[in-house]
Amino acid sequence: MSLLPILMYHNISETESNKLTVPLQKLEQQFQYLKNNNFQTFHFKELEKMKAIPKKSIVITFDDVTENQLIYAVPLLEKYNLKASFFIPFFYIGKTDLWINSSGIFKNKIMTIEQLKGLDSDRIELGYHSYEHKKYSSLSTLEIESDFLKCEEVIASNNLKVYPVLAYPHGNYPRKGNENAHFKQILAKNNIKFGLRIGNRPNSFPFKDHYEIKRIDIKGQDNLVTFRLKIKLGKLGLF
């Protein structure tokens, strides 16, 4: 059994640094570290077929398909020959990330259909981030089913290539007892292969539970030492 860290990013900026935004310079340092230390990156469609992984394996994920990811992250992925998975909130395609703040203070542009279709599928794997970016624990069964249906309508009508891996909005999902079991039944019914929470720990591989895969939150304040520790150990109290 091996450990597989899965990194979670959101926005990239030339200058801004906060919980959801990593400065471009730091992102390049992190990607350069991965490349220089011979980490292998994988897409989830590859992991589905694997029973074991190389010792230095890692998965890079980006939530929300913001335009700044296209501008800043994609060129660095190409420069350092890394793969990543990008998760789409389908209702917001071509709009902005209004779910963050309804007043629009932190509006980031979301990629358009044309921009998503223009991504190199060998480099970027597209996945699900729900339709309206709402917390699954706040939705009824019918609302969750409707959410999936609306996602599929966008995918089919635009001929998008999307792998059935789902990053839970806000890392949120029903966690307890029957609600948790029922939620996982809905995921299986909708052919979702993997479901991603936060968790802030590396995963054992093969995954113990395909619908509770942990991701490590990479923040703008993280320096390279913190980044290296997070890859190895996950989030510690000092972070």
Side-chain angles (χ1 to χ4, degrees):
M1 182 173 64
S2 303
L3 290 180
L4 178 63
I6 300 178
L7 309 182
M8 179 179 69
Y9 291 95
H10 289 84
N11 297 309
I12 311 300
S13 170
E14 288 191 13
T15 56
E16 189 178 353
S17 176
N18 56 50
K19 182 179 178 180
L20 294 178
T21 305
V22 175
L24 178 61
Q25 183 179 16
K26 285 189 176 181
L27 184 69
E28 177 151 23
Q29 289 175 344
Q30 293 164 5
F31 283 3
Q32 187 173 38
Y33 171 80
L34 297 178
K35 180 66 175 179
N36 290 347
N37 286 273
N38 300 311
F39 279 87
Q40 289 184 247
T41 52
F42 293 96
H43 287 157
F44 287 93
K45 63 185 175 185
E46 296 174 301
L47 294 175
E48 181 187 0
K49 303 172 184 177
M50 298 171 68
K51 296 183 179 179
I53 54 174
K55 184 176 181 180
K56 286 190 173 183
S57 297
I58 200 162
V59 175
I60 300 171
T61 71
F62 283 85
D63 284 3
D64 308 332
V65 294
T66 49
E67 197 173 73
N68 59 66
Q69 296 168 5
L70 175 64
I71 295 170
Y72 299 118
V74 172
L76 289 182
L77 290 168
E78 293 171 349
K79 179 177 180 179
Y80 294 103
N81 193 27
L82 302 171
K83 299 177 181 179
S85 298
F86 283 33
F87 296 102
I88 307 169
F90 290 92
F91 173 76
Y92 296 93
I93 292 174
K95 302 174 185 176
T96 59
D97 56 352
L98 287 171
W99 67 85
I100 294 179
N101 189 318
S102 59
S103 67
I105 292 176
F106 298 111
K107 288 194 293 187
N108 291 285
K109 291 183 179 180
I110 305 298
M111 291 187 216
T112 64
I113 288 291
E114 291 73 20
Q115 288 171 325
L116 290 170
K117 294 178 76 169
L119 295 170
D120 179 2
S121 60
D122 290 331
R123 181 83 50 202
I124 307 297
E125 173 184 65
L126 296 178
Y128 294 67
H129 200 35
S130 84
Y131 185 69
E132 291 188 88
H133 207 282
K134 292 181 179 179
K135 294 180 178 180
Y136 283 121
S137 63
S138 69
L139 301 180
S140 68
T141 295
L142 287 177
E143 288 172 326
I144 296 174
E145 291 281 13
S146 176
D147 191 273
F148 276 114
L149 180 61
K150 291 174 182 177
C151 291
E152 296 304 326
E153 288 174 348
V154 175
I155 292 169
S157 63
N158 292 282
N159 196 28
L160 282 173
K161 184 178 180 182
V162 183
Y163 180 75
V165 54
L166 168 64
Y168 305 141
H170 312 282
N172 173 274
Y173 64 103
R175 294 173 179 264
K176 296 181 179 179
N178 291 336
E179 290 182 353
N180 178 270
H182 183 58
F183 177 66
K184 291 175 181 177
Q185 289 173 0
I186 296 174
L187 298 184
K189 177 182 175 182
N190 284 276
N191 301 312
I192 297 298
K193 303 285 188 182
F194 301 105
L196 312 183
R197 48 178 288 199
I198 300 180
N200 281 307
R201 290 289 184 270
N203 297 275
S204 57
F205 188 90
F207 299 121
K208 293 180 179 179
D209 187 332
H210 281 207
Y211 294 145
E212 294 198 22
I213 296 172
K214 297 181 287 290
R215 291 194 290 170
I216 299 169
D217 187 9
I218 305 300
K219 300 179 180 180
Q221 298 92 332
D222 295 343
N223 59 33
L224 189 57
V225 172
T226 300
F227 177 77
R228 292 170 62 182
L229 286 172
K230 281 188 171 183
I231 289 175
K232 185 175 182 180
L233 303 172
K235 183 178 179 180
L236 302 179
L238 57 94
F239 302 146

